[in-house]
Amino acid sequence: MMDASGKPDWRATYARWLEVGVRVGLFVLVASFAVYLLGILPASVPPESLPAVWNLPVSQYLERTGAPSGWGWISRLGQGDVLNMLGVAILSSVTIACYLRAIVPLLRKRERLLAGIAIAQAIVMLVAATGWLR
Amino acid sequence: MRLTAQRGCLLALAALAPALAWAAPAHAGAALPWWAWPVLLFVVSFLIGIIAVAAGIGGGVLFVPIVGSLFPFHLDFVRGAGLMLALCGALSSGPRLLRAGLADLRMVIPLSLAGSVAAMAGAHMGLLLPTRVLQISLGIIVLIIAVIMLRSKEREANAGRAPDAWAAALGMHGLFRDPKTGREIAWQARNVGWGMLAFTVIGFIGGMFGLGAGWANVPALNVLMGLPLKLALGTSGLSISVINTSAAWVYLNQGALLPMIQVPAILGVIAGARIGVHVLKILTPAMARWLVVVVLAVAGLRALLQGLAS
């Protein structure tokens, strides 16, 4: 996938960014899960306590365990179970990064309509990420 | 003869699974040690991964109704895990699909915008509704999906038809080269407005129930919008990676993602999908589709009855 100037096409760049982001995200997700399972870091909800709370609706679960919601996890990355959120956040951010990267070449190619839709999509994903609509 | 015996064993095993699922009382095995649940979840997700690949669908649509009715986890966490599972599968396959020309980003960008706004709304709505209402709705939706899968048929691309104004403006056309046969198919999208409406409805349902969306995206892209089937499959996969991103943030911000549920599920489905590629040699796509329809019908009916009984 090359463009007329011999540089990688915007779709090839999207694919490359996606590939790197997913690898990093999956690695962090699995590694942090191992940290949680092996008890390397203290957990906010230890694995053996989960059966008492995993059958509760999420609102009651949060109330009972004091587990973080929103961006509260950022300040508690020293806890084994909360550390898993880092992998989830990376995986949930990969597409946003790919879109932001694709907008510039689209504008350069004067694909204004597609670039405009991509900008709108990036804004939607960023709004979802901020949690403003909670 | 050996192939027939292998197929027979597989089908017998598959037929036994829904029967066992039906017979198992809800949340049986509460006395199991905590670690048994993630292990069982890995095994079930592994089987889901095998069937999903053989049937050409994402795992989320099987995961939520099956795990939601057989495991003690609350539906909020099962839906969150189903959504992450579909997202991880779509993200992992995205680069390969793009490089092989099996997914079209020009189609993905506009359709996903409609889908992701709806998926966000669906995720919020799903986390607000009472569990009973959700379980009944899930049962009904899954039964409808089983009927859609039973009735869906492949349609040839429509190169001869004039594109509509939106398709022309967005450059939604191309030449698809089937990597297996080498055959080239000229295609151009049609019914872009209807396609966006379909992605909006599908996105809302996917976000609300964490189901993934391949079961409906593929017919929308192939039958409604006229893409060749293989291009529709790949484009659907890539669009799920965009649509589910918005919904995943909603579940993450609401605290509805439990590592102990989502990680074994994701790893199980990924491992099962690798085996599923080999099972494809034994099981024909039609047989796999029938298998999924039966499993969905049983899981959907069970979710519906559990909701009505609660």
Side-chain angles (χ1 to χ4, degrees):
Chain A
M1 287 193 286
M2 298 287 177
D3 64 14
S5 62
K7 289 180 181 170
D9 179 82
W10 63 281
R11 287 162 294 194
T13 309
Y14 187 104
R16 199 175 68 244
W17 277 52
L18 192 57
E19 189 166 47
V20 173
V22 173
R23 279 188 188 169
V24 173
L26 281 176
F27 174 78
V28 173
L29 189 76
V30 174
S32 57
F33 187 64
V35 167
Y36 177 39
L37 270 189
L38 298 173
I40 295 171
L41 289 174
S44 75
V45 187
E48 60 275 14
S49 308
L50 278 171
V53 287
W54 62 23
N55 58 340
L56 299 173
V58 64
S59 54
Q60 288 179 34
Y61 169 84
L62 295 177
E63 206 176 283
R64 183 87 69 88
T65 61
S69 63
W71 281 83
W73 57 271
I74 282 278
S75 57
R76 291 169 59 178
L77 285 176
Q79 294 176 322
D81 49 345
V82 180
L83 187 61
N84 273 267
M85 295 305 126
L86 185 61
V88 175
I90 293 171
L91 289 167
S92 305
S93 303
V94 176
T95 302
I96 304 176
C98 291
Y99 263 69
L100 292 174
R101 180 65 183 83
I103 288 165
V104 178
L106 280 174
L107 286 173
R108 273 200 201 120
K109 283 163 62 89
R110 294 182 185 275
E111 299 244 22
R112 291 191 185 118
L113 182 56
L114 205 57
I117 296 172
I119 290 169
Q121 174 70 70
I123 291 170
V124 167
M125 290 188 283
L126 286 169
V127 167
T130 59
W132 285 343
L133 298 178
R134 279 205 300 152
Chain B
M1 190 68 180
R2 193 172 158 223
L3 198 65
T4 312
Q6 281 175 328
R7 281 180 181 172
C9 289
L10 251 176
L11 279 179
L13 191 72
L16 194 66
L20 286 174
W22 186 263
H27 311 330
L32 287 178
W34 71 266
W35 51 264
W37 290 110
V39 171
L40 280 172
L41 184 63
F42 178 84
V43 172
V44 169
S45 305
F46 179 77
L47 292 173
I48 288 173
I50 294 176
I51 298 172
V53 166
I57 58 167
V61 71
L62 288 170
F63 179 85
V64 176
I66 291 175
V67 174
S69 62
L70 286 181
F71 284 72
F73 318 133
H74 192 272
L75 208 50
D76 286 351
F77 301 117
V78 176
R79 287 181 297 132
L83 198 98
M84 280 310 295
L85 186 146
L87 176 63
C88 287
L91 286 171
S92 306
S93 60
R96 187 176 43 83
L97 291 171
L98 273 170
R99 288 182 185 129
L102 290 168
D104 192 283
L105 254 180
R106 286 181 179 281
M107 294 292 301
V108 168
I109 290 175
L111 292 173
S112 297
L113 177 58
S116 53
V117 172
M120 256 170 73
H124 278 293
M125 173 80 92
L127 290 166
L128 287 174
L129 286 175
T131 308
R132 181 174 183 268
V133 176
L134 262 178
Q135 205 149 27
I136 292 171
S137 318
L138 176 68
I140 293 169
I141 291 284
V142 169
L143 288 173
I144 292 171
I145 294 169
V147 174
I148 290 173
M149 288 196 67
L150 195 64
R151 294 173 62 94
S152 66
K153 287 186 179 122
E154 177 183 353
R155 189 171 286 185
E156 281 295 317
N158 59 331
R161 298 176 72 156
D164 61 31
W166 279 100
L170 290 162
M172 290 174 161
H173 56 80
L175 194 66
F176 172 69
R177 191 170 187 276
D178 190 323
K180 197 171 180 183
T181 62
R183 185 180 161 217
E184 288 190 336
I185 307 167
W187 63 274
Q188 50 197 17
R190 59 185 157 91
N191 298 327
V192 175
W194 286 109
M196 289 186 86
L197 181 64
F199 267 68
T200 305
V201 175
I202 299 161
F204 185 83
I205 294 170
M208 189 164 177
F209 297 107
L211 289 179
W215 54 274
N217 284 350
V218 175
L221 287 165
N222 176 236
V223 179
L224 185 65
M225 301 187 71
L227 267 69
L229 183 66
K230 284 188 182 172
L231 186 62
L233 278 165
T235 303
S236 161
L238 194 63
S239 71
I240 290 170
S241 73
V242 183
I243 293 168
N244 279 13
T245 289
S246 306
W249 276 110
V250 174
Y251 280 88
L252 175 60
N253 283 323
Q254 300 277 4
L257 298 175
L258 270 192
M260 195 56 78
I261 301 175
Q262 70 182 2
V263 179
I266 291 168
L267 295 180
V269 167
I270 290 175
R274 288 175 184 266
I275 303 292
V277 174
H278 300 291
V279 173
L280 265 176
K281 293 170 193 164
I282 307 169
L283 210 60
T284 65
M287 287 163 78
R289 191 163 285 265
W290 268 103
L291 189 59
V292 170
V293 168
V294 171
V295 173
L296 281 178
V298 173
L301 209 53
R302 189 176 156 87
L304 179 63
L305 292 177
Q306 272 183 358
L308 289 171
S310 61

